[in-house]
Amino acid sequence: MLAIIPSATLHGLIGRFIQVEVDVAPGLPGFTVVGLPDTALQEARERVRGALRNSGFVHPPRRITVNLAPADLRKAGASLDLAMALGILLGSEQIQAGPDPVAFIGELSLGGEVGSVPGILPMVAALSRRGIRRVVVAATAVDEARLVEGLMVIGVDTLGEAVNVARARPRRHPGSRPPRIELMRSTLPAATLETDRSGSDGPGVPDLSEVRGQLEARRGLEIALAGGHGLLLIGPPGSGKTLLARTIPRLLPPLGDSAALAATVVASAAGEGPIQELRRHPPFRSPHHTLSYAAMVGGGPRLSPGEVTLAHEGVLFLDELPEFGHDVLEALRQPLEEGRIAISRAGHATIFPARFQLVAAMNPCPCGFAGSTDRPCRCGPSLPERYQRRISGPLRDRIDLWLAMPRVGPAALITGPEPEDSSTVAGRIAVARSVALGRPSGSLNGRLRGRRLRDACALRSNGERHVVGLAELEAATGRGTERLLWVARTIADLAGSAFVTEDHLDEAARYRPSDSRVAAMEAV
Amino acid sequence: MLGVGASGPVHADPPAPVSALPGARPTLEERDAWAVLAGVRGLGPVGFGLLLRRYGSGAAILREASSPGGARRLVEPEEASQGPAEPAEGVSQAIADGIARAADGAALTIGRIRSLGLAVVTVEDPLYPIRLTQIEMPPHLIYVLGSPGAMHAEAVIAIVGTRRPTDAGRAIAARLAANLAAVGASVVSGLAIGIDGAAHAATLQAGGTTVAVIGSGHAKLHPRVHGRLADAVVASGGAVISELGPDVEPSRGTFPRRNRVISGLADATVVIEAPARSGALITASWALEQGRECYLVPGAIDAPASAGCLAFLREFPDRARIVAGIPQLIDDLGLADHLTQPGVTSDVAATLTGVGEVAGRIGREIAVGRATVDELVASTGWPVATVLAALTILERAGLTVGAHGRFRAAGALAAADPDKSRQRPRTIV
Ligand SMILES: [Zn+2]
């Protein structure tokens, strides 16, 4: 007989409702899956067969046909295992269905255990949109599934438990909590949402009070985070640039509702489980420079999100920037310009969100010691400038603050003033960001363009002349002027000033690309 | 031990066969002919002198080379009528062919030189610097961008040193250059990064004239970051000169060879800082070899940037001289009474009057050696934002430069003497 079980698969970041139709009919024993399954999904047959046997059921020696509808959608992954197994049990009348439809999402082991799969959140959301009211997932995925409002979520550890749910009368599952968020709603009072801060308060995140000296770099970091500006830290080994960058997670304010939801969906699709709460802390990704192109942009047979998408609504930190592959850096062009990335696979393109703040670090020259007083640079005199000019094109345009970090002498390490801690600086950053977001443009300063940028800066006429003068310090491009205004606006926000003054502009000019300064330095 | 072996005066080349003929100024055609012949690979001073004696002029050599069968006649021995001791041979076939090719491409070569705005000055030319004619093996022509008069100043002093000076070394170079400018001396250097660049820039800042001798062709200027400095040298009445054709790339050999021109153009050479085996010591050796004065700034005995200077002073105790101070050096050079513009350099405070109180304070801190933002914040107690804004004001005024997170005085501030208020200078400092 024919059994129909609702389930879902993940396509990129999007969950898709899938109807698993299982027909168990007389005939030569066989197990066929139709409806555009990929090769990995064909292996589901082996898992289902083993799980049935090892859970005390019979894998019926009959002709089993599984159709996955809609048929025009290519399906991948193991999320349909559990639904197929239940379909076979119902189709071979080993069990009887309960009165209400239940959806099943989960991977089966040969031993019959139910495991979670990536993308529970978007998949359950898809079921919700199709009117499904009960869903069975792995016990480890229950919290994540319950982020979707309006469904009853039942967690199971084994196929046997899933069977009990399938034939049971619906009842409230013990321990289930009230649903908290409806996926499609974008604004909710923050108080109703629990926030997972584990990622930002974890032991791996250093506090700013651990960074001694480096006042210019600390200041630049504060400005960059307050305005959403791209940041490049340039300093010799031991100058503390990586330590400084790693303080970022504690300096950023928690994400708003829609950003938190987007970040959580990405984390879910990437299989970064278990997810228990909405991801309120902005993601902080720091891939190694040996990262492949595919790992940066995403894709692959299962359309996994890459680093640019994993950093969505957060920070992408690229340490040793010039060591990344040329194609890997080139791939940042589209996300930096559009806030998203298109991945083409098998003829059609998938769009992933990829709006992140870029933070990068590098040595001033190949040997690392240009400009150091305690160790000589072994590169030629013009090499540092050329090395920094490797940072070109889209990256160059998106780095608003270029910060040189000289090595801090041992005296400053011991006697310098007590550094501010992260929570003090985070407070100022949060205020400045809320000021920027409260302007008519409603965006961070680093994303302002043209007219809205000029309006936001509220320059007086002498300010305009000052901008022109400062832009000459850099071989003035339109981008140089914009960069100056963006950064100056953020400096004014941090100072609580409605207007951008000449002082703000003068400070902003300090953060211009360093290679223009290297050339000036060498020219005398 | 000083590294002045293979390319320096230890193995001096044979005497120049080309001598300066006083009086008659060569025609444009003749100068062009020399420039064309200068590009022939393998045609050195000996071969060139031989052909010049035989044909009477460069133009005649080229005419012969481009006439039918001319290349062969260049190779043939001379008629034996000139005396038994003369080596009566022509040039090799390969060189003769090269001359013929150069003659064919003469228009292109000349066009290239003209398009770059270069003047060709031959050793026969009255514009050729007289000091350079007095050295062994003077270049038989030089390419000049700018004013050849800058090489004819009453006093010409070379300032050379390492490409990686300390901030103190840079400051000494700048202050010396500014003082030399004030006494009307021309400053010669090599347009390199480091001491050379500081000397050129400070001379320009003080309104003086300076000559840059480059170790490549004019179209292959090295280092490229000094392109703007080279333009400024020319624009302010100085010159950028080379003995190499405009498209000759710099190479390992071109710089030591260039150094003999630097010392040869100058009455005296001053080495500011030189680590062991520095190219600046080659220039110092050339100066001694050429019978010119040579001064070296001593340093602490454990300072790597001064190791070469100290070794040289020890090696030539009778001839190499020590720089005991800038006023003392001006005096030793015999320039103390040449002072024409008193007060051209000034003290730090006067230099900083245009930039306002806040930037002025930061400028003073930098002048006494505070180099990083951390140090400036610590010494002033001001917020970092204030210090950063002040640095921009100073930079726009041309008084400081910064890279890699370190700042130092530039322009008039570099040339100003931070100790002026405490000393009674003998000359102008
Ligand atoms: Zn280096």
Side-chain angles (χ1 to χ4, degrees), chain B residues 211-238:
Chain B
V211 177
V213 186
I214 57 176
S216 63
H218 281 82
K220 305 290 177 185
L221 189 72
H222 175 91
R224 264 184 241 157
V225 291
H226 274 180
R228 292 225 303 268
L229 183 57
D231 293 345
V233 166
V234 171
S236 58

Side-chain angles (χ1 to χ4, degrees), chain A residues 365 367-368 370 377-379:
Chain A
C365 65
C367 90
C377 167
R378 296 186 302 274
C379 318

Side-chain angles (χ1 to χ4, degrees), chain A residues 125-431:
Chain A
L127 295 176
S128 172
R129 285 197 298 274
R130 291 295 287 252
I132 302 291
R133 290 292 158 254
R134 293 169 75 208
V135 61
V136 173
V137 298
T140 51
V142 167
D143 286 337
E144 182 179 340
R146 284 195 184 135
L147 293 174
V148 181
E149 192 176 63
L151 286 90
M152 176 185 286
V153 176
I154 302 148
V156 297
D157 285 316
T158 63
L159 177 58
E161 288 177 39
V163 166
N164 288 339
V165 176
R167 56 188 175 196
R169 301 175 59 81
R171 60 182 171 86
R172 197 158 199 84
H173 190 266
S176 90
R177 284 176 288 176
R180 275 156 297 168
I181 183 167
E182 185 195 332
L183 196 69
M184 292 305 112
R185 209 157 74 199
S186 60
T187 52
L188 277 179
T192 67
L193 298 163
E194 286 175 39
T195 298
D196 175 8
R197 301 276 303 174
S198 62
S200 62
D201 288 342
V205 180
D207 193 275
L208 261 185
S209 58
E210 296 169 37
V211 180
R212 299 204 78 102
Q214 301 297 7
L215 297 173
E216 183 178 9
R218 290 172 64 108
R219 170 76 176 165
L221 178 66
E222 183 175 333
I223 294 167
L225 297 180
H229 306 290
L231 170 69
L232 175 61
L233 302 166
I234 305 172
S239 57
K241 50 192 192 297
T242 306
L243 177 68
L244 188 67
R246 284 176 46 232
T247 65
I248 289 173
R250 277 196 200 173
L251 299 176
L252 287 170
L255 295 176
D257 292 330
S258 61
L261 185 57
T264 310
V265 167
V266 169
S268 169
E272 285 193 350
I275 292 167
Q276 279 145 353
E277 309 289 344
L278 269 194
R279 286 276 167 105
R280 286 283 166 182
H281 57 272
F284 180 80
R285 303 293 303 188
S286 54
H288 191 256
H289 60 73
T290 53
L291 184 79
S292 71
Y293 175 88
M296 180 63 97
V297 304
R302 301 187 48 182
L303 265 184
S304 320
E307 289 294 335
V308 292
T309 299
L310 292 168
H312 181 58
E313 301 292 357
V315 170
L316 180 65
F317 173 51
L318 303 181
D319 206 352
E320 309 292 353
L321 183 63
E323 305 300 323
F324 279 81
H326 179 74
D327 58 332
V328 176
L329 293 182
E330 199 56 29
L332 297 176
R333 178 191 294 270
Q334 190 193 18
L336 285 170
E337 283 170 4
E338 301 171 16
R340 59 196 193 141
I341 189 150
I343 299 160
S344 43
R345 188 179 67 107
H348 41 243
T350 303
I351 304 287
F352 279 174
R355 190 172 60 233
F356 53 83
Q357 179 173 359
L358 180 68
V359 176
M362 64 185 283
N363 290 337
C365 65
C367 90
F369 290 96
S372 295
T373 50
D374 51 346
R375 281 189 53 182
C377 167
R378 296 186 302 274
C379 318
S382 57
L383 202 51
E385 189 201 352
R386 271 188 291 155
Y387 190 65
Q388 295 184 21
R389 283 210 181 272
R390 277 196 213 167
I391 310 306
S392 60
L395 277 182
R396 197 183 169 76
D397 285 347
R398 289 302 159 144
I399 297 171
D400 297 337
L401 291 101
W402 298 58
L403 288 170
M405 294 181 70
R407 259 143 72 107
V408 177
L413 287 176
I414 299 160
T415 64
E418 203 51 43
E420 286 184 306
D421 64 9
S422 288
S423 61
T424 307
V425 177
R428 287 199 298 266
I429 290 172
V431 170

